[in-house]
Amino acid sequence: MVVMSVASFSLLTSGGIDLDPNPDRFGYLRESNDLLDDTDGLRLRMERDGYLYLPGFLDRASVITARHAICQELADEGMLDPEQPVELAIAKTDVNMSFRPDIANGDKSGKLIREVIYGERIMRFFTEFLGGEATHYDFTWMRTIPPGKGSPAHCDVIFMGRGTKNLYTAWVPFGDIPINVGGLLLIEGSHHNEEVRETYCTMDYDSACQNRPGEHPLKTAGYQESGAISNDMREMRSAVGGRLLTAEQYKMGDLLIFSVYLVHGSLDNHSKEIRLSTDSRYQLASEPLDERWIGEHPPGHGGESVRPSIC
């Protein structure tokens, strides 16, 4: 059973909306380190839970080294409070940013980030877990979340579903992230929800209404044009069922892997620091890759990636 202090209740928000801390609706992630030598057990747990939480799987010292480089890069850009130690990543007043793939894919701290998330241990893990040689997308997503609202509820498949659907996201914190800093939040068992899978999860973020110029198919279908399935995580949990799950404190070295069909977002950041984390994707090398995210210069969203559709 989850036991939270009264002070923690006020920090349990997502999108500015209070979440219900009742143990029937909120809990902590199940750890799966006990299955690291049991590949079949890991596969069964992923199928059942939709995620694998592996605290301390990655080398903490390497993550700390990368964090320091990220923080210095942000400090050099004037994003951090100059009165505070750089490594604390304390945001300068009114800093407004959330997505910094230029850092993760760049030549400064990006090299250290990629050594962590595409290193030998994690690639060996995916090769064993997937049952064949694993590969990863060349593009790396990085979140730099200042104080304020976190990420809304979404599934990754709508952003990267043009290749194999046997695709997994790895979320890696580049800082120790207690509840108040706003770590990743997922909806337990949501990858099994047939309504979500057969409606929202069939959408493609890079599509345009051919018969309704200027309209986005996601918005026409009743979702958010940003790609979110909902901006209300509490309401989404009620619709899908299952509990909202997070970690009491994510730590540098932790690895959280989940299905691209799992509904997730994040808690709000009630601290003064910038929450740093990466998202990376892994699949069998023998299966089709989404062309938007591979190559020396992946095209990404928009532009030539957009495909017409009938709304």
Side-chain angles (χ1 to χ4, degrees), residues 27-28 76 96 105 113 115 125 131 178-179 183 196 198-199 218:
Y28 291 139
D76 292 343
N96 182 21
N105 296 285
I113 292 169
E115 286 175 5
F125 171 88
I179 290 284
V196 172
E198 293 174 5
T199 55
L218 280 161

Side-chain angles (χ1 to χ4, degrees), residues 199-244:
T199 55
Y200 169 77
C201 287
T202 64
M203 306 292 289
D204 184 333
Y205 180 77
D206 285 305
S207 57
C209 292
Q210 192 173 24
N211 56 321
R212 297 184 184 179
E215 289 192 28
H216 196 288
L218 280 161
K219 187 174 182 179
T220 302
Y223 306 112
Q224 306 299 313
E225 196 166 340
S226 65
I229 188 172
S230 173
N231 287 328
D232 188 334
M233 185 66 86
R234 182 176 61 188
E235 182 181 75
M236 194 66 210
R237 188 218 65 80
S238 296
V240 173
R243 297 173 298 164
L244 292 170

Side-chain angles (χ1 to χ4, degrees), residues 14-293:
S14 181
I17 298 170
D18 290 334
L19 303 178
D20 188 344
N22 186 298
D24 292 335
R25 300 176 179 86
F26 178 85
Y28 291 139
L29 299 165
R30 182 211 301 247
E31 297 183 9
S32 290
N33 286 341
D34 60 315
L35 295 177
L36 281 174
D37 294 325
D38 180 2
T39 303
D40 288 338
L42 288 170
R43 291 170 182 158
L44 286 171
R45 183 163 291 178
M46 175 64 81
E47 169 59 25
R48 181 175 62 247
D49 295 350
Y51 72 90
L52 297 172
Y53 178 41
L54 304 172
F57 180 90
L58 300 168
D59 180 62
R60 181 176 172 86
S62 298
V63 178
I64 291 173
T65 298
R67 173 185 171 82
H68 287 173
I70 297 165
C71 290
Q72 188 59 59
E73 202 165 339
L74 292 173
D76 292 343
E77 295 177 1
M79 298 292 181
L80 304 184
D81 184 342
E83 301 300 320
Q84 300 292 332
V86 170
E87 64 271 17
L88 296 182
I90 303 301
K92 192 174 180 179
T93 304
D94 297 328
V95 162
N96 182 21
M97 63 175 175
S98 60
F99 186 47
R100 292 297 304 272
D102 57 304
I103 292 178
N105 296 285
D107 294 329
K108 296 179 181 179
S109 51
K111 289 183 177 180
L112 296 170
I113 292 169
R114 296 191 296 274
E115 286 175 5
V116 170
I117 62 176
Y118 303 132
E120 180 182 353
R121 188 169 193 222
I122 194 169
M123 295 311 299
R124 185 170 65 248
F125 171 88
F126 275 105
T127 290
E128 293 174 358
F129 176 73
L130 294 170
E133 182 184 356
T135 189
H136 60 81
Y137 284 178
D138 296 310
F139 187 89
T140 303
W141 289 254
M142 179 155 200
R143 312 287 175 177
T144 53
I145 308 296
K149 293 180 180 180
S151 301
H154 63 282
C155 296
D156 289 341
V157 69
I158 74 160
F159 300 103
M160 52 205 68
R162 292 183 182 177
T164 180
K165 302 299 193 294
N166 185 29
L167 178 70
Y168 294 90
T169 292
W171 184 84
V172 175
F174 280 83
D176 294 337
I177 304 176
I179 290 284
N180 69 306
V181 180
L184 191 136
L185 181 70
L186 61 84
I187 302 181
E188 183 179 41
S190 54
H191 63 305
H192 287 307
N193 187 279
E194 289 301 323
E195 182 178 355
V196 172
R197 290 179 72 105
E198 293 174 5
T199 55
Y200 169 77
C201 287
T202 64
M203 306 292 289
D204 184 333
Y205 180 77
D206 285 305
S207 57
C209 292
Q210 192 173 24
N211 56 321
R212 297 184 184 179
E215 289 192 28
H216 196 288
L218 280 161
K219 187 174 182 179
T220 302
Y223 306 112
Q224 306 299 313
E225 196 166 340
S226 65
I229 188 172
S230 173
N231 287 328
D232 188 334
M233 185 66 86
R234 182 176 61 188
E235 182 181 75
M236 194 66 210
R237 188 218 65 80
S238 296
V240 173
R243 297 173 298 164
L244 292 170
L245 301 179
T246 189
E248 188 170 10
Q249 176 167 324
Y250 293 107
K251 295 183 178 180
M252 287 181 282
D254 291 358
L255 174 65
L256 176 57
I257 301 166
F258 52 91
S259 162
V260 291
Y261 288 97
L262 190 72
V263 180
H264 64 284
S266 74
L267 291 167
D268 295 337
N269 185 351
H270 292 277
S271 75
K272 295 182 179 180
E273 71 177 274
I274 296 173
R275 190 260 281 174
L276 305 173
S277 63
T278 60
D279 312 331
S280 43
R281 272 79 198 189
Y282 306 80
Q283 64 169 80
L284 283 169
S286 60
E287 294 185 343
L289 291 111
D290 189 321
E291 74 281 357
R292 291 171 290 185
W293 311 114

